[in-house]
């Protein structure tokens, strides 16, 4: 299948260069850090141009979905932004006079990524690049989870929900219920990079996914009391890791003051993980799963984690 040729500079672009495109942007800095050809190797088997049409380069579409995650855009909003924003065009590799992929192309490409199971491989590739760049510190892994609303309405007495994978759960420390999913993450202490990410239905307890979030090469594990079990503590100690998990109170035996102080110290240190969720939800608008089903929900969360790590990489690199 033929592949569209993109990124050809017009005469005006070649003459005016970055002055026409608005000067250097954070996206330009990001473009220079990432080894895109490694992602291209993973993506090249994907082709979706439709009957009789040349396929869009998969790397271009992947970069477009990264922009979508970075700026919290819908498919239609992303299509409009690619048409309007010069920095977006430059980032994905489109010249000023070139056509743009429409929202249906972007949607089909996302479905291809999900169907081929490529999201975890793409996340793993970025993790390898981050490690090679020396920005993952491995001092510790901070565990936490956050709820994300489903786009579909919850089930009611007279009708089921369109999203049969989403579940209802109570928000910790808040009133009301959430219908949707839960993103479980392991964040690198010090760098703030997401090293592991798993998406489940909202009603899955935090502690269920904890062991899968622990990388194995960290020196310590930080978590709140929801992750506290005797077995986990014993195993981490046996592996030579510092156990920095807040103690869970027993309803028959309240925590002594010594352990309350210990919990407060843990809370202060692991509060950095809240910055991760603040960025994902407030800046990147990961407050709602835009698609139906666990597979697509996991893809949206994983793509957001990839975009977050790229943004973070650019921010912490001198």
């Amino acid at each position: 299948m033929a592949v569209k040729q993109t990124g050809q500079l017009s005469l005006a672009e070649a003459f005016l260069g970055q002055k026409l495109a608005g000067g250097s942007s954070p996206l330009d800095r990001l473009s220079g850090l990432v080894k895109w050809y490694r992602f291209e190797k993973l993506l090249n088997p994907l082709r979706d141009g439709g009957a009789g049409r040349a396929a869009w380069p998969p790397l271009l579409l992947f970069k477009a979905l990264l922009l979508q995650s970075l700026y919290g855009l819908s498919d239609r909003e992303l299509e409009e932004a690619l048409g309007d924003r010069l920095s977006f065009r430059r980032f994905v590799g489109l010249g000023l006079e070139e056509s743009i992929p429409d929202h249906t192309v972007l949607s089909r490409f996302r479905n291809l990524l999900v169907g081929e199971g490529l999201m975890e491989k793409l996340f793993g590739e970025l993790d390898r690049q981050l490690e090679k760049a020396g920005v993952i510190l491995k001092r510790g892994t901070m565990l936490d989870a956050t709820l994300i609303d489903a786009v579909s309405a919850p089930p009611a007495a007279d009708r089921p929900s369109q999203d049969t994978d989403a579940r209802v759960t109570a928000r910790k420390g808040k009133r009301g219920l959430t219908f949707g999913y839960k993103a479980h993450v392991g964040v690198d202490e010090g760098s703030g990079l997401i090293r592991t990410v798993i998406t489940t239905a909202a009603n899955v307890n935090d502690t269920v996914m904890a062991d899968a979030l622990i990388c194995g090469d960290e020196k310590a594990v930080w978590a709140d009391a929801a992750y506290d079990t005797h077995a986990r503590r014993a195993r981490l100690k046996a592996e030579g890791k510092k156990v920095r998990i807040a103690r869970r109170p027993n309803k028959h035996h309240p925590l002594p003051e010594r352990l309350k102080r210990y919990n407060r110290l843990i809370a202060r240190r692991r509060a950095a993980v809240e910055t991760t969720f603040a960025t994902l939800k407030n800046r990147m608008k990961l407050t709602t799963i835009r698609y139906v089903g666990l597979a697509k929900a996991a893809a949206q969360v994983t793509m957001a984690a990839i975009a977050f790590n790229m943004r973070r990489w650019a921010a912490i690199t001198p």
Side-chain angles (χ1 to χ4, degrees):
M1 181 181 291
V3 178
K4 287 180 181 289
Q5 297 299 310
T6 63
Q8 300 298 315
L9 293 179
S10 68
L11 181 62
E13 288 172 296
F15 181 71
L16 295 176
Q18 286 192 341
K19 289 183 180 179
L20 179 65
S24 181
S25 76
L27 294 177
D28 295 319
R29 178 169 173 75
L30 182 58
S31 292
L33 283 173
V34 178
K35 292 180 173 60
W36 296 106
Y37 71 91
R38 294 186 178 275
F39 289 101
E40 194 168 25
K41 287 181 180 179
L42 293 173
L43 294 166
N44 266 341
L46 302 181
R47 292 288 184 270
D48 183 34
R53 291 180 295 175
W56 289 96
L59 182 62
L60 182 152
L61 298 178
F62 173 64
K63 286 183 174 183
L65 295 187
L66 284 173
L67 291 173
Q68 180 178 45
S69 291
L70 280 171
Y71 296 94
L73 305 173
S74 68
D75 289 350
R76 291 182 183 274
E77 289 170 338
L78 176 59
E79 178 185 347
E80 292 176 5
L82 287 171
D84 294 343
R85 299 183 64 168
L86 299 176
S87 61
F88 277 29
R89 281 180 170 271
R90 192 162 67 249
F91 180 74
V92 302
L94 284 171
L96 279 176
E97 299 177 357
E98 292 178 303
S99 62
I100 60 172
D102 65 27
H103 64 277
T104 61
V105 171
L106 297 166
S107 178
R108 285 199 303 269
F109 181 71
R110 182 186 303 101
N111 291 340
L112 281 173
L113 287 178
V114 174
E116 296 296 323
L118 284 178
M119 293 305 305
E120 290 186 4
K121 293 180 180 179
L122 294 166
F123 182 83
E125 171 55 39
L126 179 59
D127 187 70
R128 284 187 288 274
Q129 292 192 33
L130 292 169
E131 186 161 2
K132 190 171 183 180
V135 293
I136 297 177
L137 303 180
K138 301 182 183 180
R139 293 203 302 249
T141 296
M142 300 181 290
L143 310 182
D144 211 340
T146 188
L147 293 169
I148 307 174
D149 294 324
V151 70
S152 302
D158 58 339
R159 53 154 180 78
S161 173
Q162 290 184 339
D163 193 339
T164 58
D165 290 338
R167 291 293 183 270
V168 175
T169 192
R171 286 186 179 271
K172 184 172 62 176
K174 297 181 180 179
R175 293 181 178 180
L177 300 174
T178 291
F179 177 70
Y181 295 91
K182 183 179 286 188
H184 308 257
V185 300
V187 175
D188 185 52
E189 182 189 0
S191 72
L193 294 161
I194 298 173
R195 298 199 65 195
T196 48
V197 57
I198 302 171
T199 305
T200 67
N203 64 341
V204 174
N205 193 285
D206 293 2
T207 192
V208 172
M209 308 311 302
D211 294 336
L213 297 173
I214 298 170
C215 301
D217 55 8
E218 61 274 278
K219 295 181 176 63
V221 173
W222 299 81
D224 64 27
Y227 298 87
D228 185 30
T229 69
H230 292 297
R232 182 166 296 124
R233 286 179 171 278
R235 184 175 63 258
L236 291 173
K237 286 180 180 178
E239 293 171 357
K241 293 178 173 54
K242 296 177 181 178
V243 182
R244 298 294 184 258
I245 302 175
R247 292 299 183 94
R248 188 196 299 268
N250 186 302
K251 62 180 179 180
H252 301 296
H253 300 91
L255 287 178
E257 188 58 36
R258 173 180 60 85
L259 290 182
K260 289 181 180 179
R261 288 196 301 270
Y262 171 81
N263 281 2
R264 287 194 291 270
L265 290 172
I266 297 294
R268 288 197 201 105
R269 290 292 296 272
R270 61 168 296 279
V273 77
E274 297 300 329
T275 303
T276 301
F277 291 142
T279 300
L280 288 170
K281 292 194 166 186
N282 298 336
R283 296 188 64 180
M284 298 171 62
K285 302 178 185 177
L286 185 64
T287 55
T288 302
I289 296 298
R290 298 178 182 273
Y291 317 101
V292 175
L294 178 59
K296 290 185 179 180
Q300 182 182 341
V301 172
T302 303
M303 182 63 79
I306 293 171
F308 173 91
N309 278 355
M310 287 187 179
R311 180 200 291 270
R312 184 69 183 154
W313 188 7
I316 63 180
T317 300

